Amino acid sequence: MAEIVAFVLVPLVYFSALGAYLPFAPVIAALRGLALVTQVLAGYGRTLVGVVYRRTPEFQTLPPYRPQDEEVKAYRNYFFGPGFRDLRQLLTLEQRSYARTVGDSFRTVTSRQFTAPTQHRALTVPYGLTLYVGLCAGAVVALPPLGLLLGLHALGLVLLTGGARFLAGTLRAVDRAVLWMKRLRTGMLCPHCFERVPYPAYDCPSPTCRRRHADIRPGTYGIFRRRCECGQRMPTLLMLMSRDARLQAYCVYPHCGKPMNADAGHMPEVVLPLIGGQAAGKTQLMAAMLLSLENAAARGGPAITLADGESDANYQVLRQVLRMRGHTRATQKTLPRAHSFVLGSGRSERLVHLFDTAGERFVDRDDTDALRYARAARTFIFVLDPMAVKAFWTTLEPPPGPSLDRTLGSTVDPEEVFARSVQAVAAMGAPLKRSRLAVAISKTDLLAGHGPGADRLDGGDDARTWLCDVLGLHSLVRTMELDFEEVRFFRTAAVADEDAHVDGSITGFVEWCLQG
């Protein structure tokens, strides 16, 4: 009887139960396969969050982009390197995650159903085989959606990277177009080395950092904002800098690196070089020009604001000298720094650079070659001191009052100064034939009663006639008119009264120099 039970009834019952189980086996296998697919995709989600968001060490397989390792000490924009680094990490980690998930699932089934089952193997082996089939199917079925997710991630990254680079390029083009509209095609003028700076460098605005960023325009290190190594954010475009939040600009040339005007790049620039011999009156004329603009602003004219602390400090000293009718000290022979100011408001704003150069530099050719700022000028001011012309002293009439002091005049022949300076400026590539020249006859306040026609001296043709007929400067005047597109002659008296009102001769002179 035991043999019947063991070899007949038990197998009959077992195979009957196995037959009853078989219809359910595909369902069980499908569910197990679906569970594996879900596990794989959930693992992808965890890996994606870890790589892109959490960024903890277990999700890093490649070294990160660190600001301290960059040439520019700033964080890279995600779409200029870090995005593809994350994609490579995601592919590596997901490959490992897929192999680990599938492998762990097979090992669990093997352990629980075959090698160390909790039930009789006659029961666990069929179930284990069913799970094997489901795992094999799930491992294969999981690949297409996983590949699709990775492909969509890569496609989205490529599209966003292309969009980011296109946007950065477009913003750079717009920024360049704005500079062209402001007539800054070749860059901004450095007031120290006189080179054209295509785009200034800027210091980090954080008071505890001050790292210098050579090129902040949209690109590798930011589209609209750049994040410095210290974490401080800064705008990437000049047009994104408000007047109250403008960054300090610096010259990018290694031999200079000095601070530029904070308004550089935000408005058109005008360069006005003052040319003349030593003691011709250039510095006092420049001070009178600034004071005239200040007077005009007080009467409702264009506003004037000194562009930097050094220009403001120098102007305040010169202003007091004019009020006291004193004489300015001689300009140092070192290369001049521009006296810069902002004229106007709104869209009419202009950054004006006045260059007052020591007269000695207009005599020595080696010195005039250093005056590179003249290349950016389209209006030149030639300061002509009549007392530097020998013919002036020969035609001098005895005055009713004190005689003229020869020491107040320049000792350099204006014709020599003009010839050397124009030759040097032309050699630098300045388009003199498309430039204007304002000839300022200086110190006319001292000429009253001295010499024929001095009392009646006025601007324009009268001044030109006086230079030709009285001082005998026919050759100089003719050369000026041949070298420049337009020449205008002015009598100027660089003096002011106690109320800081400048002589009326300066007003029209300044208006002509700054027109257009």
Side-chain angles (χ1 to χ4, degrees), residues 21 29 109 113-114 124-135:
Y21 166 74
V109 171
Q113 310 302 329
F114 292 95
T124 60
V125 168
Y127 184 65
L129 292 173
T130 303
L131 295 180
Y132 271 163
V133 172
L135 290 175

Side-chain angles (χ1 to χ4, degrees), residues 356-377:
D356 172 25
T357 306
E360 298 92 324
R361 282 195 170 272
F362 297 109
V363 178
D364 190 339
R365 173 64 186 271
D366 294 334
D367 288 333
T368 55
D369 283 345
L371 308 180
R372 296 180 296 276
Y373 58 81
R375 291 178 299 190

Side-chain angles (χ1 to χ4, degrees), residues 204-366:
C204 173
S206 173
T208 59
C209 176
R210 296 303 178 188
R211 290 178 177 85
R212 187 159 297 177
H213 297 259
D215 189 350
I216 65 169
R217 286 176 291 181
T220 302
Y221 301 100
I223 305 297
F224 294 100
R225 289 286 186 272
R226 169 179 292 197
R227 187 156 67 103
C228 178
E229 183 181 356
C230 69
Q232 178 70 39
R233 295 186 180 275
M234 52 197 299
T236 59
L237 293 168
L238 289 168
M239 55 187 174
L240 296 179
M241 299 182 194
S242 64
R243 177 172 289 278
D244 297 331
R246 288 179 182 172
L247 305 179
Q248 177 59 59
Y250 289 87
C251 179
V252 298
Y253 291 100
H255 64 273
C256 181
K258 294 180 180 178
M260 298 173 61
N261 302 110
D263 296 299
H266 295 278
M267 59 193 69
E269 294 184 357
V270 177
V271 176
L272 288 177
L274 280 82
I275 301 172
Q278 184 181 11
K282 300 185 302 299
T283 303
Q284 282 196 245
L285 178 60
M286 180 189 69
M289 292 171 68
L290 292 172
L291 186 55
S292 173
L293 291 171
E294 185 180 301
N295 294 161
R299 296 191 300 268
I304 178 173
T305 306
L306 276 299
D308 54 75
E310 187 174 345
S311 295
D312 184 63
N314 291 337
Y315 170 61
Q316 296 305 325
V317 173
L318 295 174
R319 189 173 185 270
Q320 292 302 318
V321 171
L322 284 180
R323 290 182 61 188
M324 295 183 297
R325 291 180 176 264
H327 297 284
T328 59
R329 65 184 180 88
T331 305
Q332 299 300 305
K333 193 180 178 182
T334 55
L335 281 176
R337 184 196 184 282
H339 298 266
S340 305
F341 59 91
V342 176
L343 184 65
S345 58
R347 296 195 175 189
S348 65
E349 280 186 324
R350 287 175 289 173
L351 178 59
V352 183
H353 302 287
L354 283 174
F355 283 95
D356 172 25
T357 306
E360 298 92 324
R361 282 195 170 272
F362 297 109
V363 178
D364 190 339
R365 173 64 186 271
D366 294 334

